[in-house]
Structures are given as C-alpha cells and as structure tokens.
Amino acid sequence: MRRPLLALAAVCAVAAAALLVGAASARNEVAFTVGLPAVQQAEVLPPGAEACRGPLEARASFTRLRVVTASFGRPGPALELAVRAPGGRALGRGVVPDGYDDGAQVEADVGGIAAGRRVELCAVNRGGDPVLLRGAPPATLASELDAPDADAGPAFVALRAEPRSVLDQVPDMAGRAAVFKPAGVGAWTYWLMAGLVALAVPALLAGALRAAYASERS
Amino acid sequence: MRSSDRPAGLGLLVAAVLLCGVAWALLTPAWQVPDEDSHFAYVQSLVERGSRPFDDGREAGIAAKATEQDLAEVASGFLDSAQRIESDPEWSPTAEARWRAAQARLPEAAREDGGGASSARGNPPGYYLAATLPYRVGGGGTAIDRLYAMRLLGVGLLALFALSGWLLAGELLGRRRPLQLVAGAVCGLAPMATFVSAAVTPDALLLPLWGLTFWMLARVVRRGGRPRDLVALALLVAAALAVKPVSAALVPGALWALVASRWRRPVRAGPVAAGLVAAGLAGCVAAALAVPGGPRRFAAYLWQFYVPEDAWTNRIVELLPWPLRDVWWEGTIGAFGWLEVRFPAWVYVLVLALAVPVVVLAARRVGQRHASLLVAFALPALALVAGLHLTEEWFLVEQGEPFTQGRYLLPLLPLAGLAVAGALGGLGARARGLALGATLGLLAAGQAAGLAVVAARFYA
C-alpha cells in the first residue's frame, strides 16, 4: 500500500516544484494593454495631431508606453507618448525619436504612473510626416475585430520598469481574480482554493487510494 | 453491506472532484469559456421571457443578449479580452463598483430584452431547463452572481461524470476499487473536463449522460438486456438527445447493444472488425457524396486534418495547420478560456508519451469475448467523430469557418478512463500500485497546472 501513496506523493511533489520554477521563470513586462490586438488602422495622425484612449484606470503601475505604428513606407516621424489626468494635466511624457521603421512597435519612457490612477493615454505626432496608429475596436468580440465598419481605437501597451515573474505577482493575482465575481468572494477565496487544490486534493486522492486498497484486501 | 459492496474511496474521489470543480468555477472569469455567453443568454431567455432564443427579426448582435448581460460583459472586460491573449479582463475594484451601481439602477426589463438569435439557439432545452434552477436561486443578485450559481450546477454534474467512469470500470473490470478509482478520476479530474463542466454549457450535462450511457451499454451487452437496463439505456439516450443533437451518435451503439443482448451465440472479433471497417467506409462514401463541397474537397479536408502540415500544403486556410494535433489532441488535454490558454507544448508530448503504452496495454487485454462490447463502444465513438467532421465540412463550405473543438471528444473520456484502468489492471501488483499512484498524482498535478495557466493568463 505504501508504494502507490509514495508514487502519488512523488508525482505531486515534482509537479509542485515544476510549477514553482515555471512561475518564477515566466517574466512579463506588460502592466496592461488597451486596444490589442492591433489588427486595424485606428488613427492617421497628421503632423501635430494626437489620439488618446481613456479615461481609464491604470490597472498596474507602469513607466513606459508602447504603440503600434505604420508610416506609409517612410521612416516614422517623432512621436510623443503622454499620460494625462482626465482633466488634461500631464502626468508623464516621453518622445520616440523619428526614423523608426514602417510598421514598428515603438515605446517611450513616460515616468512612473501608479496603479489605480485614472489616466488618458495619448500619442502626439511631433514630426513632419503623417503616422498611422494601429489598434482594435473597443468592446468587440475577437471574431468581429476585422469587421470593416468597426471603429478602432489606437492600441497602447503599458510596460513596467522591470519584468515581473508570475510568482512575484501571485499576491496581486489573488486580488484581481476576486473582481467581477459573486458577492462575498475576495482575495482570501483564492488563497484558500490554492491551498485546498495544492494540499487537500492530493490528500483526498491518497485517502481514496488507501480506502480502495483496503477494500480490495478485505 | 459486504466490504466489497462498499464504494470504498468513491466519496473521497467525489470530494476531490468537487473541490477542483469549485476552484475552476471561481477562477475562470465570467463568460471566458467557449460560448458561455450564449448559454447564459439562453437560460435567461427561458426564465425571464419564458421562451427559447429564436430569430425574432431583431439584429442578432443586439437581440441575442439582454441589456443586463451586455452591461456586465462590457464592464468586466469580457468583450475586450475573450480569445485575445494580449488583453486581460477588468481587474479594477473601482470598475466593478461602477458596474454594480449601474446594475442596481437597471429596470426589470433589462433582463428581458434578449432571447434573439444566438449561436446556442439550435440546442435542445434539456440542459438549459436544469440551469434555470440555479439561475432562480441567484435571481436576486447580479448577472455575475447568477452566472456563478449556474456554474456550480456543472460542478455537481462533474461528480456524476466521475461516478459514471467508476461504474463503467466496475461493470467491466469487476469491483476492483483501485481500478474503479482511477477510471473515475480520469473522468472527474482530467483538466479539460473540469474546465468545461465548471461552466455554463450543455456539455456539463452531456458528459455524465454519455458516461452513464456507456455504463448502461456495457450492462445491456453483458447481462442480456434486462428490462430495467433497457429502460435506463433508452432514458439516458433520450436525455442526452434532449441536451445536444450530437447525442444521436449514441443511437447506433444502443441499437447494437439491444441486438447483442438478444444474440446468444458468441460474436467473433474478425467479422466484427471487418463489418465495422466496411460500415465506416460506406459511411465515408455516403458522407462524401452528401457534403456540400463534394467528395474531393471533403477528402482534402480529411487529409489536412489528419496528416502533418509538412506532408501537404494547407489547402483549407481556415483550419489550423494540423487539426489532429492542434484541435483534437491539445484541445482535449487542455485548451482553456476561449481555447487561447494552453499548456507548454511539452505537456502535450508528455501526455501522448503516457497514452501510447496505456493504449497498447489496454489493447492487449481485449479478447474475443469483448467483441460485442467493442462494437457497442466503437459505434458511438465513430459516429461522433464522423458527425463532427461532417459538421465541420459544412461550416467550412457554407460559412468559411472551422467548427470542431477538442472538447467535443470529451464524452468519450469514460472509455479513456476504462482503458487506463484496464491497462493498469494487467500489470503486476507492484507495478500496478506504482502506476495507480502516479496516475492519480498526474491528475492532481494536471488540475494544479491547468488552474495555474488560467490564473497566469487572466490575472498576471
């Protein structure tokens, strides 16, 4: 009877270790996104023009902004990427120098923006040639993203100062998972569920295995 | 009760299955299961409007769902993130608070203006009628409250699915509780089965109905068709048909079981296999002539489906490069969310490497005396696969989009559980013990890994 239980425990232990290593090594620099995938032409910006998304809540803190561009076969013009408060007050800005490739994803450092802040994300054409921002229509199912009459908005990718591992984000993830859930569900629910799945499920299966073998012996 | 009559271990297995099911139900964001939005809308239409969804002339995009559901889908970020792996659902408690306030201001009529044409409207009402009960239990809450209450119905049905695997193994392998335990665990703890069952979808009811039907097919064939078994079989097939039309695939197996139960002479495996192959070929020819694109196109479709991509240029661009791998294998082992959330590629290879010896060992245990049973199981399986291919070809030709998903093969999971149990049953005591423990460990690990990739997809 010991062998089956040991095998079960060994597999669970190896899997737990593998999950921890995987979570520690999976690193991600994206804080949050809006308007992805960038499958449509969202805005053509003539020199001096701007396009914004928001107001929206910064769902995680970030320091850089990225946009997806097209520049009509020419090197792209200088772009200012800006973060503003809903009233228009500047919270951060950075400039992408001109000369980037047609179709490039470009980014600029905009300074530290805290999670939870309501912001507008903007791109301003500071060059002498037009630039196109790619994006996706808001509140649209993936299957309808390429509909010709869809009104796409530009895509913005908010990036962290440093990539964070999934393991490092687990405390935040428990809180995020509790949002838009039934009343009474909180971050504690997910901590509890994680503990139960990690410990109680193997224990229950071990108990079931023990009982099944005991029944067979008798 | 004799000790051999006691379902030792079953209660603990069910507890583990329920626990995992609740974890999946709570972790997966609202509507982030294929077509869950349409299934929710179906139930809401039954409860609030007293009718199934139907094309009432309104524009489908507006009429399919009630205003209340539209509001929640937009606010929760479902529309911006479903199937879009670059985007996350809404995490902000402030956004949730704004939605709750808006939901509280909605009039009763905001629940009643759906019910129009949707992707689920062709389904029979069997599952949806059952789901009206949890919908009503959560009726005083928000749309999200009701959605999650309905998901818990599926968690209970998942336990029934595990029970069906247990019963099937018990019928065919005897009351060997460790083997029954592993067969039931395969049904109840395979990550994809848990993910699908812990959602609002008719598949949650379809799975246990198919599992119980396989059990009853085995009883009818082995025990000579006792009246109560025949009645139970008929009721199960009828119930499955009331849930999803694909359950028509059970009918050939049920008819065969009826014939086999009356046929007292032994059935020879050779002629049976030849008959199955002949029936399969005849079916293919008939199907090829019936499909809208014609036999040549259908053959090209099947070729692309089963043959690796480098053996043939992809002529049907709507299909994934190698659907046998990309849709059926990976989609059965684990394709979560709207199919965009997957395990690392090596996981699918590992499961394949484990499945091959299971199939070999199980096949070695099948003898002449099992011929009738094999037919009873093979007919539904073949009919299911054939039906999926025909439906997909119709979709490709008529609508230019693929149809098949790996989860559509999950009703066959009890047969996989039986194969695992049968394979392990043929091992020596020592090896069997190790393999049993390792199999249960792998299922527990699969649950944890599946939950982890879903959590990382939506919340990291």
Side-chain angles (χ1 to χ4, degrees):
Chain A
M1 182 56 227
R2 279 182 57 201
R3 285 174 185 274
L5 293 179
L6 284 175
L8 192 159
V11 170
C12 289
V14 169
L19 276 176
L20 284 174
V21 169
S25 57
R27 299 173 74 81
N28 183 358
E29 65 174 350
V30 175
F32 66 93
T33 69
V34 58
L36 286 180
V39 294
Q40 288 218 13
Q41 300 184 3
E43 296 270 357
V44 176
L45 298 182
E50 68 175 35
C52 297
R53 292 285 297 247
L56 53 88
E57 189 171 327
R59 290 188 286 162
S61 57
F62 65 99
T63 61
R64 290 174 291 147
L65 271 184
R66 180 185 291 165
V67 292
V68 185
T69 68
S71 47
F72 311 101
R74 294 187 296 268
L79 263 182
E80 178 185 312
L81 302 181
V83 183
R84 299 174 186 156
R89 184 169 60 87
L91 299 174
R93 61 180 287 275
V95 175
V96 181
D98 62 1
Y100 49 87
D101 292 341
D102 186 11
Q105 295 188 30
V106 296
E107 64 186 57
D109 197 328
V110 294
I113 306 295
R117 181 137 210 177
R118 273 187 85 70
V119 294
E120 279 190 313
L121 307 177
C122 298
V124 189
N125 185 347
R126 296 294 186 201
D129 294 313
V131 64
L132 183 147
L133 299 180
R134 302 185 65 82
T140 305
L141 283 173
S143 57
E144 296 157 13
L145 281 179
D146 54 358
D149 57 344
D151 189 13
F156 287 92
V157 181
L159 300 161
R160 300 185 179 99
E162 297 290 337
R164 280 183 80 191
S165 72
V166 172
L167 192 61
D168 185 37
Q169 293 183 66
V170 165
D172 292 338
M173 289 164 67
R176 292 166 181 170
V179 174
F180 284 97
K181 292 291 167 28
V185 170
W188 65 270
T189 313
Y190 295 93
W191 287 113
L192 177 65
M193 294 311 304
L196 289 173
V197 170
L199 299 174
V201 168
L204 286 167
L205 291 177
L209 196 54
R210 185 190 293 271
Y213 265 103
S215 159
E216 198 170 54
R217 274 201 304 275
S218 66
Chain B
M1 183 186 277
R2 288 177 298 151
S3 62
S4 63
D5 290 340
R6 257 199 329 265
L10 179 61
L12 294 171
L13 171 64
V14 166
V17 168
L18 292 174
L19 219 161
C20 291
V22 170
W24 280 94
L26 286 175
L27 185 73
T28 308
W31 299 296
Q32 295 278 6
V33 181
D35 300 325
E36 193 179 36
D37 54 334
S38 298
H39 300 314
F40 177 89
Y42 194 130
V43 178
Q44 186 162 53
S45 178
L46 283 178
V47 175
E48 308 290 353
R49 296 162 56 93
S51 68
R52 296 167 57 188
F54 64 98
D55 187 351
D56 54 6
R58 290 178 295 159
E59 188 188 332
I62 296 170
K65 300 167 188 173
T67 299
E68 179 200 48
Q69 186 179 350
D70 285 333
L71 179 72
E73 286 187 359
V74 172
S76 66
F78 162 68
L79 292 179
D80 278 325
S81 60
Q83 221 170 6
R84 295 156 71 167
I85 198 150
E86 314 87 345
S87 306
D88 297 312
E90 184 58 73
W91 298 332
S92 160
T94 317
E96 184 187 9
R98 276 199 302 272
W99 160 73
R100 286 190 183 278
Q103 158 94 26
R105 288 193 299 271
L106 288 176
E108 278 295 310
R111 292 184 182 189
E112 300 164 1
D113 54 355
S118 78
S119 61
R121 75 178 191 276
N123 287 336
Y127 164 78
Y128 303 103
L129 285 169
T132 59
L133 293 174
Y135 181 98
R136 289 180 195 279
V137 168
T142 66
I144 298 274
D145 291 335
R146 274 170 271 136
L147 176 78
Y148 281 87
M150 289 154 71
R151 282 186 176 182
L152 293 182
L153 168 69
V155 174
L157 294 170
L158 179 66
L160 192 58
F161 191 41
L163 174 66
S164 74
W166 170 287
L167 291 170
L168 179 62
E171 179 66 24
L172 296 180
L173 303 174
R175 292 184 174 178
R176 300 175 66 183
R177 300 308 189 200
L179 298 183
Q180 288 183 268
L181 174 65
V182 81
V186 167
C187 294
L189 294 174
M192 198 60 192
T194 322
F195 163 68
V196 167
S197 294
V200 179
T201 167
D203 291 359
L205 180 52
L206 192 74
L207 298 186
L209 287 175
W210 273 62
L212 292 170
T213 300
F214 281 128
W215 171 52
M216 206 47 66
L217 285 173
R219 283 177 67 99
V220 168
V221 170
R222 289 185 72 243
R223 303 186 186 199
R226 295 185 302 192
R228 68 178 182 185
D229 288 343
L230 292 173
V231 170
L233 178 60
L235 288 175
L236 284 166
V237 173
L241 281 166
V243 171
K244 256 188 155 180
V246 72
S247 298
L250 289 170
V251 173
L255 292 176
W256 171 264
L258 185 60
V259 170
S261 68
R262 300 288 175 232
W263 184 268
R264 303 319 307 170
R265 281 180 286 177
V267 177
R268 308 290 301 174
V272 162
L276 275 177
V277 170
L281 286 174
C284 285
V285 171
L289 293 172
V291 288
R296 181 182 284 266
R297 202 202 119 91
F298 188 53
Y301 156 71
L302 289 177
W303 181 273
Q304 184 172 327
F305 199 100
Y306 286 103
V307 178
E309 54 192 313
D310 56 356
W312 191 263
T313 54
N314 289 339
R315 297 176 60 178
I316 303 172
V317 295
E318 296 88 351
L319 290 178
L320 291 171
W322 187 15
L324 177 63
R325 175 197 62 194
D326 304 330
V327 178
W328 273 1
W329 183 248
E330 293 190 4
T332 308
I333 304 303
F336 311 112
W338 279 67
L339 310 180
E340 81 279 17
V341 189
R342 303 212 174 198
F343 290 121
W346 63 266
V347 172
Y348 303 101
V349 178
L350 173 67
V351 179
L352 182 63
L354 294 170
V356 169
V358 165
V359 171
V360 171
L361 286 170
R364 282 171 53 182
R365 297 201 69 203
V366 176
Q368 288 282 349
R369 63 199 165 91
H370 299 116
S372 280
L373 267 174
L374 273 181
V375 176
F377 293 158
L379 283 173
L382 291 173
L384 174 67
V385 169
L388 291 173
H389 279 316
L390 288 171
T391 308
E392 178 152 79
E393 175 66 350
W394 185 91
F395 266 83
L396 286 166
V397 171
E398 298 293 332
Q399 301 190 2
E401 57 188 44
F403 166 79
T404 298
Q405 296 178 26
R407 65 189 169 100
Y408 296 156
L409 297 181
L410 290 177
L412 304 179
L413 206 51
L415 301 183
L418 178 63
V420 173
L424 299 191
L427 298 174
R430 238 178 206 197
R432 183 170 66 243
L434 284 172
L436 272 166
T439 304
L440 293 177
L442 282 170
L443 288 165
Q447 287 290 322
L451 289 162
V453 295
V454 168
R457 151 68 178 102
F458 290 111
Y459 306 120

